[in-house]
Amino acid sequence: MPITTTRRRLLAGSVATLALPAFARAQGAAKPRLTAISQWSAGSDGAAITALGKKFEEKGGVWQHSPVPGFTTEMMNKLRAQIMAGDPPACSQLKGPEIAAWSKIAPTVDLDAVVAAAGYEKVVAPDLAKLHKPAGKWIALPLQIYSTNMLFLSKRALDKAKADKVPVTWAEFNDLAEKMKSGGVNHPVANGGTRPDDGQKFEAALGGISPAAYRAAIMNLDEKALKGPEIKAAFAQVRKIADWMDPNVGAQHFSTNLKRFIDGDMGMMIMGGWAQGVLRNAGFKFEDFVIAPGPSDNSKPVFLLNADAFIFWQRKEADLQAGQTLMAQLVMDPAIQTMYSQITGSIPVRTDVDLSGEGWSEGQRTTAKALKDAIASNQAVLSMAHNMAQENGMTAAMIDVITEYVKNKSIKPEQAATRLAEAVEGAR
Amino acid sequence: MRPGRPALPEWIRRLPEYLMIWVPLLLSAAHLISFSLWTIWISFTPSTLIPVTGWVGLRNYSAVLASRNWQIAFDNLLLFGGAFVVLSAATGLILAILLDQRIRGENVLRSIFLYPLAVSFVVTGTVWSWLLNPGLGIQKLVHDLGWTSFRFDWLIDRDMAIWTIVIAAIWQSSGFAMALFLAGLRSVDADIIKAAQIDGAGPVRIYRRIILPSLWPITITVAVIQLQFAISTFDLVRALTNGGPGIATQLPALVVYDLMFQRSLLGRGAAAAVLMLLILLAVLLPYAAWRYIQRRRAAHA
């Protein structure tokens, strides 16, 4: 083993010596190169990042993307390994409070100048901007926004229920679910069996019941709010939802059941906007389903914010630094954000992008309007189930309680509320 | 050795053999010991995202032991470990005895029973997750055949879900137990059996009094191998139930992974891993002691 290493080093050394004159010449204008890791490898996510890479190459860059398929945590394990080896990627996917946590273990790039040059700060929602400059300086850039509590309605299930009105409050939602049930829809609420899926049901319930309580309990971990009546009410609503779900889904991903949703065997789906991209990618048409903001008891949209982002890690190589600048400029570019969101079904981070034109769906326009209205009425909050409100450890502790509650119908809402407060205390 | 060539010294001639055995052995021992020690050290530090120095005493251990996840995982391990070891050994023994009846096509059957072992646990878990899913698998099949009151929904029943893991694990590894038992059955002295037959003993009596008692050492080996496998089970559960429904089928290995990589709590994850090591030692040390006593006895006999 040691012999090969030495030989390889020797080889690399001699190649470097030979290439030195060329390297010196290239120093003046290093060809931008970007090493990036993300979890996006397939489907609409994979297609979108591939398209972004193409744009990067069109601008004269070298695009080196290494996708780590699976959940975000799997990607983070690779990131951790690379950071510990002293070889972080020039940029990697990372979002929410994890940006602040990870930025403490390795130096990040100060993006303030590039962001200022693009005038980006003015067009990003303030809560979102805060997450991407944890110590006051921009070190990460949000790429696209989803709401995790969009309500997808199956047209065929609506027909079975003889209903055409989209529910706005939880009471209306519950009514419609009952109607669907009696109209022959087997499972009025479509679901998967994963942990985030269960978490989303809870955050949609609590957010819809009281955004203020959501902010206090979930985002600020206020002890009084965690034991408040809204939490119990949210758990009670989750129990109703769980009774309408298909218990047979096991540990399946929500996308496994999309055909049943379209066919009207499942009625309504509480899911992030990404489901639109997945549905379209699976060959379903916009005529098959309706997208609306999730139920909100005060009738004003509640937006549970989930934003994918890139964090930029410090590198000494001139070509990587040039690549980081180019990548930052691309990510903030309205044309690129438009292209990206149109592929995935998200909405752009920039609030100044016009969604009225060709290529945008009704669902995306609804989502963008919901975000605008939610910000205006201070009802845009950060998603817990998708790691935007808290760091992973805290999120996981909360979801433990929620997922057990969803699957164990003998737990009472009061009991679940107590357990949630205890779990938060234990994870603090 | 070819004639006309000077004989090499013994140690040079045998050098390849030494290298073959000792280098890999030392390397793996070094890895095992150094990483175990490293994990033990991490379990006493406040490490979260990456390993850091520091000392928090037993805080990580008390946090893990107090968590609901670990308590469920430990109870599940007792149940799963016990049931799996006993049932897979029993299934393997029965298969071995049946195969031992000098039947036709024994080789083919043996391959079939051993084959699941060649399938990775992730595949086993995924396949069984479909088979056991009440909406897709066995229950639906029986319903479609007309018996609509039939129920087999253990996968989604949080009290029974752990048994689905037992079923899949038995399917996977009873062939392994069978192979070991079969070898044991074949090595029983044929003369003793003949003598018993001449004395008028029936097949049941021969199995009970002669063959099975001579299988004890193999039974212990099977149990120990299966037990340490049960303790480290990860991929099967991950693919079959992913710890669900809810957190009902957590197992220690899942908790370790979850703490280390899902929650980014390296210190706590390491503490859970060390607890797993202790459970493993609780199995292996008595086994080693038993082997030692056996050898002593054999030497004195």
Side-chain angles (χ1 to χ4, degrees):
Chain A
M1 272 296 247
I3 299 168
T4 7
T5 318
T6 330
R7 193 188 289 163
R8 199 177 286 162
R9 269 197 201 147
L10 217 73
L11 215 71
S14 47
V15 168
T17 323
L18 285 173
L20 207 58
F23 183 64
R25 244 180 292 126
Q27 277 279 300
K31 192 173 160 70
R33 178 166 72 92
L34 193 80
T35 48
I37 59 174
S38 79
Q39 68 181 110
W40 303 309
S41 61
S44 47
D45 286 329
I49 196 154
T50 306
L52 178 60
K54 286 239 172 63
K55 292 282 176 198
F56 191 86
E57 282 167 352
E58 275 171 29
K59 299 271 178 193
V62 179
W63 177 255
Q64 295 173 331
H65 176 227
S66 331
V68 187
F71 290 104
T72 324
T73 41
E74 264 121 324
M75 191 264 339
M76 280 155 84
N77 292 334
K78 176 155 167 61
L79 178 61
R80 184 193 333 265
Q82 281 193 249
I83 286 178
M84 281 166 67
D87 180 31
C91 106
S92 65
Q93 173 202 353
L94 204 67
K95 65 177 199 179
E98 293 292 314
I99 291 171
W102 284 74
S103 69
K104 288 180 197 130
I105 65 169
T108 47
V109 178
D110 177 359
L111 299 168
D112 270 0
V114 206
V115 171
Y120 196 51
E121 181 127 22
K122 290 191 286 290
V123 293
V124 179
D127 270 348
L128 203 55
K130 235 189 295 173
L131 288 174
H132 298 84
K133 40 179 204 175
K137 285 186 185 314
W138 285 85
I139 57 167
L141 291 173
L143 172 71
Q144 57 177 351
I145 290 180
Y146 288 113
S147 164
T148 67
N149 65 330
M150 294 310 283
L151 182 61
F152 290 71
L153 298 119
S154 160
K155 278 273 176 68
R156 278 179 207 131
L158 281 175
D159 290 345
K160 284 186 190 172
K162 298 192 178 56
D164 50 9
K165 211 177 142 290
V166 171
V168 174
T169 63
W170 277 117
E172 290 172 22
F173 175 94
N174 297 342
D175 269 358
L176 179 57
E178 283 302 338
K179 268 190 210 153
M180 282 184 173
K181 186 90 201 168
S182 47
V185 178
N186 285 326
H187 305 288
V189 176
N191 64 302
T194 59
R195 292 163 55 94
D197 209 314
D198 292 334
Q200 261 174 275
K201 306 283 189 298
F202 176 78
E203 67 180 7
L206 180 59
I209 288 168
S210 165
Y214 184 93
R215 205 183 289 270
I218 305 299
M219 289 169 63
N220 302 332
L221 301 177
D222 178 68
E223 213 183 316
K224 219 173 122 216
L226 273 164
K227 289 175 178 157
E230 291 92 351
I231 300 278
K232 282 170 207 154
F235 273 116
Q237 177 61 41
V238 170
R239 173 70 74 233
K240 282 186 190 150
I241 295 174
D243 284 338
W244 288 315
M245 298 188 328
D246 182 356
N248 295 346
V249 295
Q252 289 167 19
H253 194 249
F254 81 93
S255 60
T256 317
N257 300 297
L258 283 179
K259 191 178 178 305
R260 296 172 62 196
F261 164 72
I262 292 296
D263 288 346
D265 181 45
M266 291 176 158
M268 297 180 276
M269 178 165 67
I270 297 163
M271 192 38 74
W274 53 84
Q276 182 194 316
V278 180
L279 277 162
R280 216 171 31 174
N281 224 44
F284 297 115
K285 306 237 160 40
F286 286 128
E287 297 91 78
D288 293 328
F289 58 94
V290 182
I291 305 180
S296 162
D297 284 351
N298 63 16
S299 304
K300 282 181 244 159
V302 174
F303 199 99
L304 279 152
L305 224 141
N306 178 29
D308 287 312
F310 282 120
I311 185 167
F312 292 72
W313 302 101
Q314 256 180 41
R315 298 291 314 211
K316 290 201 176 63
E317 299 86 337
D319 57 343
L320 286 179
Q321 289 177 351
Q324 287 173 330
T325 309
L326 175 58
M327 178 67 170
Q329 286 162 344
L330 282 178
V331 169
M332 293 185 287
D333 186 342
I336 298 287
Q337 290 201 354
T338 300
M339 174 201 80
Y340 206 94
S341 287
Q342 286 187 346
I343 299 175
T344 59
S346 62
I347 59 170
V349 176
R350 297 184 69 112
T351 47
D352 61 344
V353 173
D354 179 20
L355 272 67
S356 61
E358 188 88 359
W360 296 103
S361 74
E362 215 35 61
Q364 279 163 309
R365 289 186 198 114
T366 313
T367 312
K369 189 174 174 308
L371 179 60
K372 219 170 135 199
D373 295 348
I375 290 177
S377 56
N378 198 24
Q379 301 204 142
V381 289
L382 298 171
S383 159
M384 176 267 294
H386 288 271
N387 291 318
M388 290 294 284
Q390 298 294 340
E391 283 175 25
N392 279 340
M394 179 60 76
T395 306
M398 292 202 259
I399 292 192
D400 272 350
V401 177
I402 295 164
T403 193
E404 201 184 359
Y405 173 82
V406 168
K407 265 111 191 178
N408 181 353
K409 298 193 173 166
S410 67
I411 303 176
K412 299 263 172 310
E414 297 76 33
Q415 233 173 327
T418 315
R419 279 191 194 174
L420 186 69
E422 282 169 4
V424 167
E425 209 40 58
R428 245 188 247 267
Chain B
M1 205 173 295
R2 280 187 214 146
R5 267 202 175 179
L8 287 167
E10 172 76 3
W11 71 272
I12 291 189
R13 208 171 48 77
R14 300 196 63 177
L15 192 61
E17 293 169 30
Y18 292 142
L19 286 178
M20 284 279 267
I21 295 167
W22 285 105
V23 173
L25 198 69
L26 284 177
L27 270 177
S28 19
H31 269 95
L32 191 78
I33 294 167
S34 60
F35 281 122
S36 303
L37 289 178
W38 191 78
T39 307
I40 293 171
W41 171 63
I42 291 291
S43 73
F44 290 105
T45 66
S47 303
T48 52
L49 276 177
I50 52 167
V52 293
T53 52
W55 182 262
V56 293
L58 289 171
R59 211 167 71 200
N60 284 326
Y61 288 89
S62 55
V64 169
L65 287 171
S67 78
R68 210 176 143 66
N69 260 320
W70 179 264
Q71 286 158 6
I72 292 176
F74 189 75
D75 290 349
N76 278 340
L77 180 63
L78 291 183
L79 198 98
F80 168 70
F84 165 65
V85 170
V86 171
L87 294 177
S88 77
T91 317
L93 182 61
I94 292 169
L95 286 176
I97 289 175
L98 292 178
L99 265 188
D100 196 33
Q101 308 305 314
R102 321 256 162 226
I103 49 168
R104 220 191 297 174
E106 186 198 310
N107 284 339
V108 176
L109 288 173
R110 209 168 44 198
S111 313
I112 291 175
F113 291 136
L114 252 182
Y115 197 73
L117 203 65
V119 178
S120 105
F121 266 111
V122 175
V123 176
T124 304
T126 310
V127 170
W128 277 97
S129 79
W130 294 113
L131 281 175
L132 294 169
N133 187 309
L136 301 161
I138 297 169
Q139 178 177 313
K140 181 162 191 303
L141 181 81
V142 177
H143 280 199
D144 290 350
L145 289 174
W147 182 9
T148 49
S149 60
F150 174 79
R151 268 189 59 169
F152 185 53
D153 56 357
W154 290 4
L155 188 70
I156 57 161
D157 180 335
R158 67 208 155 71
D159 294 324
M160 300 305 286
I162 189 76
W163 292 100
T164 62
I165 297 167
V166 175
I167 292 173
I170 288 174
W171 177 84
Q172 171 104 354
S173 61
S174 56
F176 167 72
M178 176 206 74
L180 290 189
F181 280 128
L182 196 58
L185 289 174
R186 294 282 153 88
S187 66
V188 175
D189 195 342
D191 291 340
I192 303 178
I193 298 175
K194 265 196 198 116
Q197 277 169 341
I198 291 166
D199 284 346
V204 175
R205 205 179 164 84
I206 291 176
Y207 267 105
R208 225 178 43 150
R209 306 302 289 266
I210 299 171
I211 300 181
L212 292 185
S214 68
L215 287 182
W216 258 121
I218 289 177
T219 313
I220 301 282
T221 309
V222 168
V224 168
I225 292 176
Q226 305 279 57
L227 245 181
Q228 56 166 320
F229 157 74
I231 293 168
S232 59
T233 297
F234 174 78
D235 33 9
L236 180 67
V237 192
R238 176 115 164 135
L240 187 60
T241 62
N242 201 7
I247 50 175
T249 51
Q250 288 288 352
L251 281 178
L254 237 66
V255 175
V256 172
Y257 176 82
D258 188 50
L259 285 173
M260 280 198 179
F261 301 118
Q262 220 93 22
R263 306 183 188 201
S264 298
L265 298 168
L266 276 188
R268 282 192 197 180
V274 173
L275 288 174
M276 269 180 76
L277 183 69
L278 292 179
I279 300 174
L280 203 60
L281 287 180
V283 173
L284 291 182
L285 286 182
Y287 175 63
W290 179 79
R291 286 289 299 264
Y292 178 74
I293 293 167
Q294 287 278 344
R295 226 175 302 141
R296 281 275 297 267
R297 242 186 236 158
H300 284 292

